[in-house]
């Protein structure tokens, strides 16, 4: 079973939830399984207000963070997993079966760093862009004839899996030196921006900097999973390159 | 993973659900995890109608059975498990952790016999009387500060556990001859009635036949788990005793 400290390291992130009942149900499932940290990304304000002011609203909603974007929400996380089904997409990230995911959250990640479990909006789930901020995609083994789960139920099922006693040994102290220093999402985003700036400075056409390339760069950095130290080194390298470029001295 | 045939052997039973949204959510979770057999016991009619006629109501609700009592609902089942938490009660049945329950449903029970997973009403869950029709109580590992789950979420979590790939080997063909002939719930109820009739015929005071004793008898028979053949033999024995009793010839 997870320790209280492990549960507190996990942030539950709801991206643009619409239905106040679903928001309440997600918070209730968190309370049922002993999780307390909730972030809501760009909620539809009237419904978010309604969810928070509902009679008997879980206390968790009163303490929830609001973030303008998913990038902001997971900025300080060293492991971010998005949820979804594989039926209609081929993700750019490694797909993990939910039943094996406790290890990814609590054994392979950093003891001090934070982790996030991200759920998409009710209608369509997480977009490809949302997933580009994720290190992995977690798939729930739903029936292909009815793959799409209700948001509150999906949260309940995922959190149950994480606290479920059984095959996942949530080891404390098994982490390597390297894992303890994993770069967080914000550091990776800053590195990506610097690389992009460098490429522009090096004369890449603006066309090469289209959203598709930004997307690929975010995905690539998460796949490489550099440590915080590696990330700082790469930042240093790109700053130096940028500095040497003819019009690249803005950051010098 | 469970076969289609295994999923079809499991009946999901909702005892007196009140909230139409919860009924719909339970049916949706069933569709998500590939289960299709639903029985609703003594539903509050207006809400049951509302759940069935809701826009986008899962097809499962249209095919659901209605039963006047839990005894009726599980009459042909050889294994019945009720769900709940251990926080406020000490059950008469063995308590199984949800994470180990797939084996109880799909390896230890009869290949041809049916199994039922029973959920109580939203307000208070299954009563002690409801549980007396169950061979086991399945507990969901919820936090003691917020143990009570929403009905739709509880159904989702339990069905996820049953289909979850992993440590439960849903063996086909591992059943023993004895298990294949397990008595179903209706046979146990008929035996209990006959035993009660015999006791009355043998001069037990009506006071001894109060509800508490009926309850204990139901619990006892389920704990003994007699085979169908054993049950028929016991029926024969008690009929014979009843026949020999001075006023016991009604069944001769």
């Amino acid at each position: 079973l997870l320790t209280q400290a492990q549960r507190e390291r996990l942030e539950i992130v709801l991206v643009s939830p619409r239905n106040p009942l679903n928001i309440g149900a997600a918070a209730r499932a968190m309370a049922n399984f002993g999780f307390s940290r909730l972030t809501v990304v760009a909620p539809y304000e009237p419904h978010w207000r309604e969810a928070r002011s509902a009679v008997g609203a879980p206390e968790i909603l009163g303490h929830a963070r609001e973030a303008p974007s998913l990038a902001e929400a997971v900025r300080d996380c060293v492991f971010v997993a998005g949820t979804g089904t594989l039926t209609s997409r081929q993700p750019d990230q490694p797909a993990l079966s939910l039943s094996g995911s406790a290890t990814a959250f609590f054994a392979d990640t950093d003891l001090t760093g934070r982790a996030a479990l991200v759920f998409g909006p009710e209608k369509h789930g997480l977009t490809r862009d949302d997933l580009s901020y994720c290190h992995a995609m977690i798939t729930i083994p739903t029936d292909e004839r009815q793959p799409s789960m209700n948001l509150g139920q999906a949260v309940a099922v995922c959190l149950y899996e994480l606290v479920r006693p059984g095959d996942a040994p949530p080891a404390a102290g098994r982490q390597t030196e390297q894992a303890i220093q994993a770069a967080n999402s914000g550091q990776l985003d800053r590195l990506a921006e610097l690389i992009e700036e460098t490429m522009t400075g090096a004369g890449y056409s603006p066309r090469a900097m289209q959203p598709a390339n930004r997307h690929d760069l975010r995905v690539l950095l998460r796949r490489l999973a550099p440590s915080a130290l590696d990330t700082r080194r790469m930042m240093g390298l790109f700053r130096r390159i940028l500095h040497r470029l003819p019009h690249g001295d803005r950051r010098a």
Side-chain angles (χ1 to χ4, degrees), chain A:
Chain A
L1 277 168
L2 297 179
T3 63
Q4 189 59 28
Q6 284 175 313
R7 288 176 212 226
E8 279 169 13
R9 282 179 40 230
L10 185 69
E11 190 80 34
I12 306 304
V13 180
L14 306 182
V15 177
S16 304
R18 290 290 297 198
N19 182 331
L21 293 175
N22 286 342
I23 298 171
R28 178 160 172 183
M30 289 177 62
N32 284 145
F33 294 119
F35 295 89
S36 59
R37 299 181 62 120
L38 174 65
T39 297
V40 179
V41 173
Y44 178 62
E45 279 300 333
H47 290 177
W48 176 225
R49 241 188 340 264
E50 187 182 333
R52 282 154 67 112
S53 60
V55 175
E59 205 184 327
I60 285 166
L61 292 180
H63 304 138
R65 286 197 308 158
E66 247 180 282
S69 67
L70 180 56
E72 278 298 326
V74 300
R75 190 165 290 283
D76 64 350
C77 294
V78 295
F79 182 69
V80 181
T83 54
T85 58
L86 291 175
T87 45
S88 59
R89 63 183 124 202
Q90 190 60 32
D92 301 308
Q93 295 72 28
L96 287 182
S97 156
L98 176 59
S99 62
S101 62
T103 307
F105 276 104
F106 298 108
D108 294 348
T109 58
D110 178 348
L111 256 185
T112 53
R114 303 183 47 67
L117 179 59
V118 185
F119 296 86
E122 289 93 337
K123 271 270 165 80
H124 52 71
L126 294 172
T127 62
R128 189 161 169 265
D129 190 59
D130 293 332
L131 284 170
S132 75
Y133 292 96
C134 300
H135 297 80
M137 178 170 166
I138 288 183
T139 63
I140 305 176
T142 49
D143 193 278
E144 59 191 14
R145 288 163 299 181
Q146 178 69 272
S148 167
M149 286 196 79
N150 163 275
L151 177 59
Q153 290 175 309
V155 172
V157 163
C158 290
L159 296 184
Y160 164 71
E161 174 63 44
L162 296 184
V163 305
R164 176 185 185 281
D167 30 44
R174 267 186 47 205
Q175 289 69 21
T176 62
E177 181 71 14
Q178 189 200 14
I180 288 171
Q181 309 216 348
N184 67 32
S185 196
Q187 290 167 328
L188 296 180
D189 287 345
R190 284 198 297 281
L191 175 58
E193 281 163 28
L194 182 59
I195 292 174
E196 186 180 327
E197 199 178 345
T198 308
M199 290 175 79
T200 310
Y204 274 75
S205 72
R207 206 174 147 271
M209 288 295 108
Q210 302 247 318
N213 290 317
R214 289 203 182 111
H215 174 95
D216 290 346
L217 186 56
R218 280 199 303 267
V219 171
L220 173 69
L221 289 177
R222 280 159 181 83
R223 194 164 58 233
L224 295 175
S227 68
L229 182 63
D230 288 342
T231 305
R232 282 199 300 277
R233 282 181 182 143
M234 284 192 273
M235 296 281 292
L237 174 69
F238 281 102
R239 279 206 194 93
R240 183 173 295 257
I241 294 171
L242 194 58
H243 182 62
R244 302 259 169 113
L245 290 173
H247 302 286
D249 51 355
R250 282 152 295 171
R251 278 178 178 256

